[in-house]
Amino acid sequence: MKKTILGILALTMVCCTPQRQETQQITITANDTIGRKMTLVPMGNNSGAAKMTMEDGAYTASITTSETGFYNLVSIKGYAQAIIPHYVPVTQGASTSHLTFGENGTLQLEGSKDNQALAAYTTAYAANSRALWALREGEAEAARPIIKAFITLADSVLGAYRCSKPVKEYIKIWAYINAYDSYTSVPRITRTKLHDMPYSVGDLLPEPHTVLDSPLAALFPNTPGIVYSTIPNRNNLDSALIYVTQHYTDTTLLKKVKDNIAGRYVSRYNYSVDFDKGLERLQKATEQYGLDPQHATNFAKHRATVPGQPFPEGIILRDREGNVVDFSTFRGKYVYIDLWASWCVPCLREVPALQQLEKTLKNKNVTFLSISIDASEEAWKKKMDEKHMHGHQLWNPDNTLGKALNVKGIPFFAIYDPAGNLYMHGAPRPSQGPGLVELLEGLK
């Protein structure tokens, strides 16, 4: 008899447990709807965004339920954009709220206590940020209370509203990230060198792992960067991975942080030194820490940056008439490559010096090749005409060459030898004058 009763109770509990909804109907009314467009974006999944339709004074969207119940409500009117966090429990199929837009970015929301709290902190955060950016040169000390105020404001909001546990955690994490980002902005705002700051981030905030070790922290795109910036010996791949696995337990956040560490390792590695050892180290770390194998694949693709390696395969270069030009056509001479784009101001500043270099260089064993990474063919051609660019001009719109050569910024220059192999990665710019001339004249 007792077993029967227990079985009935267990069945009753299962039946009464709220079930996760596959979709949610979210409705927002507003005091200002003229010319305003709204979009609902599940946090952590921008591809699942839904435009809200406007009818009878209400914005409505039916959307696939967010994994965490959190959404970004994006409001656009004219050139003004507001992003407001919105929460609907995953077990709730529908939600209705009223949003009031006030002056100076103030927001009021009538609906659940959760969303009232999120709107209240949004307003408080915006006002505190304006105070920070109003500081002037030399006022780094005045930023101290402003930075700490983000945490105080969050506590005040949470004291005023009875929020659910996820929203409480979200607001605490949000405030911490606001404070951390504000600290990193102070040197730029007050024109203070980092080593002259009158306080450190550790003087103002607790260690990140005490606040950010949560799947909700992974919803913020800058969280992995904050974690990375606080890792001792972070430039060592193994040390960085050991540290984060010892200090963070949430698997969702850990994956993003480890991807961030591996991605930085790939982009910052000096490929001209111990390429094979670097790749082997990453492959071992991939097995040991469960990294995405794509990082090792990306590393391997950068072998093209090692002197002596041939010009990368699969690079499509087109001339002005649209014809595909194979890099092998330049074999027999050293090739000085200029990677540029029409929108790149520093690139355009190099054009006169490059043209002069082409005219005056006496070494006929060197040829010049400019390769544009413009997405627009029209923009490329227009800028060539404006600058009277002559000689070998080719187009690589998908920037596959820059990716293969791990180019971090343009203009970028490289030299290939007569056999088509890399001679110098990151060659001097034309504007650097005699040093480059001497280098090129000496290539035989």
Side-chain angles (χ1 to χ4, degrees):
M1 182 67 176
K2 186 181 290 185
K3 289 183 178 180
T4 302
I5 293 173
L6 290 173
I8 293 172
L9 286 173
L11 181 61
T12 302
M13 289 177 67
V14 171
C15 293
C16 294
T17 300
Q19 298 296 307
R20 174 188 173 84
Q21 301 295 311
E22 294 298 322
T23 60
Q24 292 179 324
Q25 186 83 9
I26 298 177
T27 301
I28 304 289
T29 59
N31 67 320
D32 179 9
T33 60
I34 299 175
R36 187 179 299 277
K37 296 180 181 179
M38 287 197 183
T39 302
L40 203 59
V41 185
M43 289 192 187
N45 181 22
N46 290 344
S47 62
K51 291 184 179 180
M52 304 191 79
T53 57
M54 170 64 173
E55 187 175 348
D56 297 330
Y59 296 89
T60 304
S62 180
I63 192 168
T64 300
T65 302
S66 165
E67 289 295 322
T68 58
F70 286 93
Y71 303 85
N72 275 319
L73 179 63
V74 182
S75 167
I76 299 176
K77 182 172 181 177
Y79 295 102
Q81 174 177 284
I83 300 178
I84 308 142
H86 201 73
Y87 177 74
V88 181
V90 296
T91 57
Q92 186 173 316
S95 168
T96 300
S97 304
H98 179 75
L99 192 58
T100 300
F101 294 92
E103 296 181 358
N104 299 320
T106 59
L107 296 168
Q108 290 184 346
L109 192 141
E110 297 174 10
S112 70
K113 294 295 183 182
D114 286 335
N115 286 317
Q116 288 180 40
L118 288 168
Y121 182 74
T122 300
T123 297
Y125 149 73
N128 204 46
S129 294
R130 286 195 294 271
L132 181 75
W133 286 91
L135 295 178
R136 298 181 179 180
E137 183 175 350
E139 295 184 332
E141 181 60 42
R144 186 197 296 257
I146 298 175
I147 295 170
K148 296 178 73 172
F150 286 106
I151 307 300
T152 305
L153 290 168
D155 290 339
S156 297
V157 167
L158 293 177
Y161 299 91
R162 288 188 175 182
C163 300
S164 62
K165 184 178 178 181
V167 172
K168 285 182 179 178
E169 187 175 350
Y170 179 91
I171 290 178
K172 284 181 176 293
I173 291 170
W174 188 11
Y176 184 93
I177 290 174
N178 292 155
Y180 199 100
D181 287 345
S182 295
Y183 172 82
T184 62
S185 298
V186 170
R188 183 168 71 255
I189 295 171
T190 63
R191 298 183 181 180
T192 305
K193 293 182 179 179
L194 191 59
H195 61 265
D196 290 333
M197 285 284 287
Y199 45 83
S200 69
V201 69
D203 295 331
L204 307 179
L205 300 171
E207 289 291 324
H209 65 86
T210 63
V211 180
L212 302 181
D213 192 12
S214 162
L216 295 183
L219 297 177
F220 295 86
N222 43 350
T223 299
I226 291 175
V227 172
Y228 181 83
S229 69
T230 60
I231 299 174
N233 199 20
R234 56 182 170 271
N235 292 324
N236 182 288
L237 177 65
D238 295 314
S239 294
L241 290 170
I242 290 171
Y243 180 86
V244 297
T245 53
Q246 289 178 341
H247 288 78
Y248 294 86
T249 59
D250 180 71
T251 54
T252 303
L253 179 64
L254 261 177
K255 182 182 185 307
K256 288 183 177 290
V257 170
K258 289 191 290 187
D259 277 342
N260 184 277
I261 293 170
R264 290 173 188 265
Y265 177 80
V266 171
S267 66
R268 296 178 178 180
Y269 192 83
N270 183 358
Y271 290 97
S272 63
V273 179
D274 292 333
F275 179 92
D276 291 326
K277 287 184 179 179
L279 178 57
E280 182 182 1
R281 187 178 300 118
L282 180 57
Q283 289 171 333
K284 286 183 178 179
T286 298
E287 295 178 8
Q288 185 174 356
Y289 296 99
L291 304 179
D292 187 339
Q294 187 61 43
H295 294 298
T297 301
N298 292 340
F299 190 104
K301 289 179 180 178
H302 290 152
R303 189 178 290 275
T305 65
V306 179
Q309 291 297 312
F311 190 82
E313 295 182 358
I315 307 298
I316 298 178
L317 305 173
R318 296 185 183 276
D319 63 18
R320 187 171 186 131
E321 286 69 42
N323 302 310
V324 175
V325 178
D326 196 291
F327 186 75
S328 62
T329 60
F330 297 98
R331 286 185 181 174
K333 289 188 176 184
Y334 285 91
V335 184
Y336 180 78
I337 293 179
D338 165 27
L339 203 63
W340 71 288
S342 65
W343 43 262
C344 170
V345 175
C347 298
L348 301 179
R349 289 176 183 159
E350 294 293 329
V351 171
L354 178 60
Q355 292 175 333
Q356 182 63 29
L357 179 63
E358 289 187 56
K359 289 179 182 179
T360 59
L361 191 71
K362 297 177 182 178
N363 188 356
K364 302 303 180 183
N365 201 32
V366 176
T367 190
F368 295 86
L369 171 60
S370 292
I371 301 176
S372 165
I373 61 169
D374 274 292
S376 166
E377 182 178 7
E378 182 181 355
W380 167 52
K381 292 180 178 179
K382 181 179 179 182
K383 190 59 65 175
M384 280 196 298
D385 292 340
E386 288 178 2
K387 293 293 183 179
H388 307 290
M389 298 173 71
H390 51 74
H392 300 297
Q393 301 288 335
L394 299 179
W395 182 44
N396 180 227
D398 53 5
N399 192 26
T400 48
L401 178 58
K403 294 172 184 175
L405 293 179
N406 195 33
V407 173
K408 298 180 177 67
I410 55 175
F412 173 82
F413 301 90
I415 301 173
Y416 278 82
D417 67 19
N421 298 323
L422 184 64
Y423 177 81
M424 180 178 288
H425 183 275
R429 297 185 177 194
S431 60
Q432 290 180 259
L436 175 59
V437 174
E438 184 178 343
L439 169 66
L440 296 179
E441 293 288 10
L443 297 177
K444 302 299 182 182

